Every structure is written in structure tokens, then in C-alpha cells.
Amino acid sequence: MSGRKEADHGDSSRSPATAPNKPSHPMRLGPTIPSTASSHRQSFSEIRGLPPSPRTQRQPSFSHGAVQDLVDNPPVAKPANAFIGRDWRGIQVGELVSEDDVWFVSLDTGVEAATELLIDSEAPVVLIRESPNSKTAIGTFDYSDLNAYLLLVVGVAKPEEGQVSSFKELVNKAMLHDKIPLRDIKDLELGKKEPFVTLSRAENLMKAVEIFGSGIHRILIVEEGTTQITGILSQLTLVKFLWENGRSFPAIDQLYPQHLKDLAIGSMVVIGINGDRPVADALKLMNDEGVTSVAVIDNQHNVIGNISTVDVKSNWPESSRPQGDKKAKETK
């Protein structure tokens, strides 16, 4: 199958001292999200035997001045000739995507094999299909799904009525390092799942912008008149395209020197969590709120960083694979 890859799902199952009066719960800079008292639950480290997160050795982020300078001075590289003189709103979405970015797994692929493919491919999402020969996606597996799965395994997520026995069975399998097919967690509908949205590759970018404006993060691009996936268009892909080719579009280029506040862009309600809270609390907050990232704040509510669902891969090192697990492999 040209241009598509799939995981091999064979047999594998694959702080500083605290200040007085510090906030002790996740915060929304605006309304407060209260925390609930709970008995000790097993942490990710206790279950998987994990090393310290590599985030602790990460280099400092850009300073505010550096970010502002980048915004005020967009790239000067010559834009692609294919877009010069065109109205950006009429560009077809198919021009921005590549079939090389499409990765598939099957319903019978194990969670660990799917996770390895997600990490190794550096893709934002892998697509789920009924069988290895199908060209139609019936679902997706991304870092938000992995987040929800981990919260379940460590006992933070609570099952709804009628799902208790299924949850217990899944947790027991995870503790024994048994293979857990994606089919099992898909049926449980863990967490707040983003709607499955497709768009013909012949549709224009204005249509995609309208969809993104509704809160959708990614769109699956299909061959016109079929359900065959030919690419994935994300918010980030669109922003990157407009950033790199903005000088081809006068309507976009004139926006670069302006400030966000002048354009009335952004939200004054920011979901945040104190920097000394456990990672599990941040993951639960994102899962409960249906967001992919939250601000990390200090005791004075100053933003000192952020954490996203993608950061959950720091808790999934290669050493955590069960014996006999097969690494996800590419098939053409």
C-alpha cells in the first residue's frame, strides 16, 4: 500500500521548598478548579519503574523578548512560487498535506505498539482502521488517548457506571503487561475525544479555517469522492504555512506587525496548574478539561512554562516495554 505505514501488531503486547500559602490545586487564571483529597495511588514511576523526566534537563524556553522579536519580524525567505499572487482562502487543502505523514494501526494493534509508532514517527496522531488492507480510518490514537489510558492504569481516572468490570479487566492486563488491543480502549471511550472530521483534498483553506475555529485541532484529508486518507491537516500545519508564505498574501502579510491585543485575539481565561504539583495532576486536568496543554504557574500566578499531552511520552521510555514486545515497524 503506497505511502502508508502500519505498526506490526504481531504477538506483541508490548522540588524546591514550598512557599507559605501556596495554591495546592490546579488553577484556572480566572475561575479556580478545586482539587479533591484522595488516598495514595500508584504513580507512573511505581508501576513502570521510570527514570526521572528529561524535562528536568531541558534548556530554558525563549524569553518574552525573543518571542516578541520573532513575531514582529516574520521570515524574509522567499515564499514558494506556487502561492505568489493567489488568494490564500482559495488554496486547496490537499496542497498542504502529504501522504507520508499518514500512519495506520489496526484495531488489534496493542496500546504499547501504537504508542511506540506515535513516538517514533513523530506524528501528532496515528489512524485506526478495521484491518491491515483497509484504506479507511475509523478512529484515531493520539497523545490525549495515551494520557487517558495512563490515568486509567494508575487509578486516577474513574469508570462510569456500567464500565467498572471492563475497567478492572483492562487495569489487570496492564499490570501483568499483557497486550491491550486498541479495540478494548476504543470501546471504553476514555476521556473527551475530539470529533472525527474529514475534508476532501479539493476543499479550500477557508473551509479548514472554519472547522478549526470550532475547536477542532486536526482534519483528515481524503481523496475526493472517497474515504481514502491522503493526509492530515492540523492547526499547526496551517499556521506554519501562513507564517512561511505570508508575504505571498497581502491580507496576511499586513497582520504581522500588529499585536494580538489590537486584533482582539486570545482568551483571558487560562487553565493553569502550580509548578510543584505532580505530573499526574496536570494530565488529569487536561483530560478533564478536554484540552491539550495547560500553563504552569508559580505561587503568584505568574506563568513559568507549560505542559502538554505530548509531554506524556516522557513517561513511556523504551525500558518500559514488556519482554518480547515488538517495535512498531513500517510497511509499504
Side-chain angles (χ1 to χ4, degrees):
M1 185 170 39
S2 175
R4 289 179 176 77
K5 287 73 67 175
E6 176 165 9
D8 176 4
H9 51 81
D11 320 318
S12 64
S13 42
R14 299 228 295 167
S15 105
T18 56
N21 301 321
K22 69 177 182 64
S24 61
H25 47 260
M27 292 195 157
R28 194 186 283 269
L29 304 190
T32 300
I33 301 174
S35 64
T36 56
S38 60
S39 59
H40 174 72
R41 299 186 180 94
Q42 287 180 293
S43 67
F44 297 128
S45 298
E46 290 171 330
I47 284 186
R48 313 294 293 185
L50 303 180
S53 169
R55 289 177 62 84
T56 56
Q57 287 84 40
R58 190 177 66 177
Q59 294 299 313
S61 301
F62 287 125
S63 66
H64 173 76
V67 173
Q68 188 62 56
D69 182 64
L70 182 62
V71 171
D72 290 342
N73 298 279
V76 295
K78 185 178 180 180
N81 291 331
F83 305 115
I84 295 177
R86 298 173 62 183
D87 184 339
W88 71 269
R89 294 169 297 183
I91 293 174
Q92 295 183 346
V93 294
E95 298 180 63
L96 272 64
V97 300
S98 170
E99 199 168 5
D100 292 337
D101 298 326
V102 179
W103 297 81
F104 276 105
V105 291
S106 298
L107 279 171
D108 292 325
T109 301
V111 173
E112 298 211 15
T115 298
E116 290 179 5
L117 179 60
L118 187 65
I119 295 173
D120 294 344
S121 67
E122 299 184 348
V125 63
V126 294
L127 307 181
I128 303 174
R129 56 186 174 187
E130 285 279 4
S131 64
N133 295 323
S134 173
K135 298 180 180 180
T136 301
I138 61 171
T140 59
F141 180 78
D142 59 18
Y143 286 105
S144 292
D145 296 311
L146 176 59
N147 179 12
Y149 167 75
L150 290 177
L151 291 174
L152 168 66
V153 170
V154 300
V156 176
K158 298 301 180 184
E160 296 181 3
E161 188 175 352
Q163 293 184 321
V164 176
S165 60
S166 297
F167 268 53
K168 286 183 177 179
E169 182 181 353
L170 193 151
V171 171
N172 287 337
K173 283 185 177 181
M175 297 297 289
L176 293 172
H177 288 186
D178 289 344
K179 175 183 175 181
I180 301 176
L182 291 176
R183 185 189 306 275
D184 291 356
I185 65 172
K186 183 177 183 295
D187 292 341
L188 288 176
E189 297 183 351
L190 304 176
K192 295 183 178 180
K193 188 70 176 175
E194 182 169 304
F196 189 84
V197 179
T198 62
L199 197 62
S200 167
R201 62 181 294 110
E203 289 283 1
N204 58 49
L205 287 186
M206 195 63 223
K207 181 64 176 179
V209 169
E210 292 172 357
I211 295 174
F212 287 144
S214 68
I216 300 299
H217 288 84
R218 71 179 70 91
I219 304 170
L220 305 185
I221 307 303
V222 299
E223 196 67 54
E224 190 170 10
T226 74
T227 58
Q228 179 179 333
I229 308 295
T230 62
I232 302 172
L233 181 66
S234 67
Q235 289 182 347
L236 182 58
T237 301
L238 179 57
V239 170
K240 185 174 184 291
F241 168 77
L242 294 176
W243 177 257
E244 294 178 344
N245 296 280
R247 296 190 182 280
S248 295
F249 317 119
I252 298 295
D253 190 37
Q254 67 179 354
L255 297 177
Y256 283 135
Q258 301 188 46
H259 294 86
L260 295 179
K261 63 180 181 179
D262 297 330
L263 298 172
I265 295 176
S267 171
M268 296 302 294
V269 178
V270 180
I271 300 175
I273 187 168
N274 195 278
D276 61 4
R277 301 297 297 166
V279 171
D281 286 0
L283 299 181
K284 184 176 186 302
L285 178 61
M286 288 185 279
N287 186 64
D288 292 345
E289 294 291 325
V291 297
T292 56
S293 66
V294 295
V296 179
I297 60 176
D298 62 17
N299 297 331
Q300 287 72 46
H301 295 186
N302 298 309
V303 176
I304 58 175
N306 80 294
I307 182 171
S308 73
T309 52
V310 176
D311 293 316
V312 74
K313 67 183 179 183
S314 298
N315 291 302
W316 200 276
E318 185 167 348
S319 60
S320 73
R321 296 174 190 161
Q323 291 295 318
D325 194 11
K326 292 183 178 180
K327 185 175 176 63
K329 296 179 181 178
E330 175 179 333
T331 58
K332 297 294 184 182

